[in-house]
Amino acid sequence: RRLSPASGWFKRVRCAVHPRDHPGSGPVKSDRHLGHPSTQCDGARMRCGAGWVATANTVAEVTIDAGDWEARLSRDGDGFIDESGYPVRLEPIRTIITGLATLTYEEAKTAEPDRYNDLELDDPSPETGAGRLITLGAADKPLASLIVGDSDLTVGGRRGGLFARLPDDPQTWLLRGAVDLPGSRGDLFDAQLLGWNTNDVAAMTVSSNSPAASLSFVSTEAGSPLNPVNLPAGEQTDNEKVLGLGALVNNLRFSDVRKAVPDSKTDGAVAYETRNGVRLTIAKLSLAEGAPANAERWLRLSVTATDQANEEGRQQAAQLAAKVDGYDFTVYDSTDKTLRQTPADLIATTPAQD
């Protein structure tokens, strides 16, 4: 079944800590869900009311600050999109919100900021990761924010517990339940760009801009290797590198996405052409002027159907173009290193003669 916000799972989002569960407000009652809709929060400041109450038409934004990555997601029809405009998978959002909705109070913990590090509840930081800040919003107005930290399996139950605090409150809490966040921004998306069979690749061209050079390869039939067609006399290719570059089409996945940056310079490209007439070009964008050498390196994909494309190829090209047009992508380090090989990198080196 399609998991849309209208399916009802938003409607169970409540608030943070039941006031009767606060250590100073009397015995804990059996109803310990976070934010029974009828409650009004007290000095515990784990706010109810507008805090976690949400309906299918209320939650319009989900913001995640995990320290080493951030995401700002906004409603788009029945789904959500990243601030780049790229659609995100609904399952991670469902998991986050239902996790928040089912947290229950276990006990109060420290209110000393010096001890936050032990519970992974420091403010999110690119250096340490620390706590992870989740904010739900509606109509440009925050509904609630919570910093979640380390898990505590001693709480028992199927999901154990976790430590949490409000961003503007020193008090920390041990809550029963779990809020499972994606491990990276890439996990928010349907990140597979390609899933082609290597045998479907009929041609590949690797080019560089500085120095200007290109090296082309052709596979004459399915199952035959990609052989160079314009190799300089006396040279031979590194077959392992060529094979690795050709195999990237099997499972090319991105790790991040942004709206395409206009007028970006490129270092070169890798172009693939399939037997049914899809031409894919992966442009290797240059680092911005002044950017550190370890800055993220972005790619831009463009897709067309060749004049010889059959109906299947034209449809495949149109579908892939709709997914990549207008965006830049990063891929994982090993994949990026393979894609950024130049024609010279694909030439086999021979040992020096004595």
Side-chain angles (χ1 to χ4, degrees):
R1 184 170 65 91
R2 177 179 172 82
L3 296 172
S4 70
S7 301
W9 47 265
F10 273 110
K11 299 178 182 178
R12 295 187 292 117
V13 179
R14 298 162 182 160
C15 83
V17 168
H18 198 296
R20 295 174 300 187
D21 295 338
H22 185 244
S25 57
V28 173
K29 303 298 191 336
S30 59
D31 180 6
R32 296 175 6 136
H33 272 289
L34 304 188
H36 188 284
S38 66
T39 65
Q40 297 295 322
C41 287
D42 65 356
R45 300 187 65 220
M46 299 292 271
R47 293 183 274 278
C48 294
W52 291 113
V53 177
T55 66
N57 295 321
T58 301
V59 175
E61 292 185 350
V62 178
T63 302
I64 304 168
D65 183 353
D68 54 349
W69 62 273
E70 298 181 19
R72 185 180 182 88
L73 315 176
S74 57
R75 180 183 292 280
D76 182 47
D78 285 343
F80 279 77
I81 57 174
D82 176 59
E83 60 186 337
S84 66
Y86 205 85
V88 300
R89 297 188 299 118
L90 200 52
E91 182 63 24
I93 302 174
R94 173 185 180 276
T95 299
I96 290 168
I97 296 182
T98 54
L100 291 169
T102 54
L103 291 173
T104 60
Y105 173 83
E106 189 69 18
E107 62 178 299
K109 305 300 287 186
T110 183
E112 300 177 17
D114 289 345
R115 297 180 60 190
Y116 287 171
N117 185 59
D118 296 335
L119 306 179
E120 295 185 7
L121 286 177
D122 284 320
D123 289 340
S125 163
E127 289 75 28
T128 63
R132 293 150 293 162
L133 173 62
I134 308 169
T135 301
L136 303 184
D140 297 322
K141 177 181 67 176
L143 290 174
S145 293
L146 190 68
I147 295 178
V148 297
D150 198 10
S151 59
D152 185 350
L153 298 180
T154 65
V155 171
R158 184 171 60 87
R159 298 188 301 157
L162 60 79
F163 299 102
R165 69 177 177 91
L166 293 170
D168 57 353
D169 194 325
Q171 181 65 54
T172 64
W173 310 87
L174 176 60
L175 307 177
R176 183 182 292 269
V179 180
D180 296 323
L181 290 173
S184 67
R185 268 183 54 82
D187 293 335
L188 290 166
F189 308 98
D190 177 8
Q192 186 174 39
L193 294 170
L194 295 177
W196 295 349
N197 189 316
T198 306
N199 289 334
D200 293 336
V201 176
M204 178 177 75
T205 299
V206 181
S207 63
S208 62
N209 293 338
S210 182
S214 69
L215 187 57
S216 297
F217 301 83
V218 170
S219 168
T220 55
E221 60 183 6
S224 65
L226 286 162
N227 293 312
V229 295
N230 61 336
L231 190 66
E235 302 283 4
Q236 61 183 21
T237 56
D238 186 319
N239 292 332
E240 185 175 346
K241 291 181 178 180
V242 173
L243 183 63
L245 196 54
L248 286 184
V249 299
N250 283 335
N251 186 22
L252 182 63
R253 303 179 64 85
F254 68 86
S255 57
D256 203 354
V257 59
R258 70 181 184 188
K259 197 177 293 290
V261 176
D263 303 321
S264 297
K265 297 180 179 179
T266 68
D267 296 327
V270 181
Y272 301 90
E273 190 172 312
T274 64
R275 301 187 195 284
N276 62 0
V278 179
R279 182 174 178 80
L280 166 68
T281 301
I282 304 176
K284 300 171 276 191
L285 303 188
S286 308
L287 288 176
E289 187 174 352
N294 62 348
E296 284 189 309
R297 293 177 173 268
W298 294 86
L299 306 170
R300 183 170 300 164
L301 283 66
S302 57
V303 188
T304 59
T306 66
D307 293 340
Q308 293 75 36
N310 58 24
E311 181 60 27
E312 178 190 52
R314 287 190 291 271
Q315 291 182 4
Q316 189 176 4
Q319 291 170 358
L320 183 54
K323 189 171 186 176
V324 303
D325 283 355
Y327 301 100
D328 297 334
F329 301 91
T330 63
V331 293
Y332 296 98
D333 288 346
S334 59
T335 302
D336 188 76
K337 183 178 179 180
T338 299
L339 280 169
R340 289 187 182 273
Q341 294 176 110
T342 66
D345 292 328
L346 300 180
I347 303 298
T349 57
T350 55
Q353 299 296 318
D354 293 334

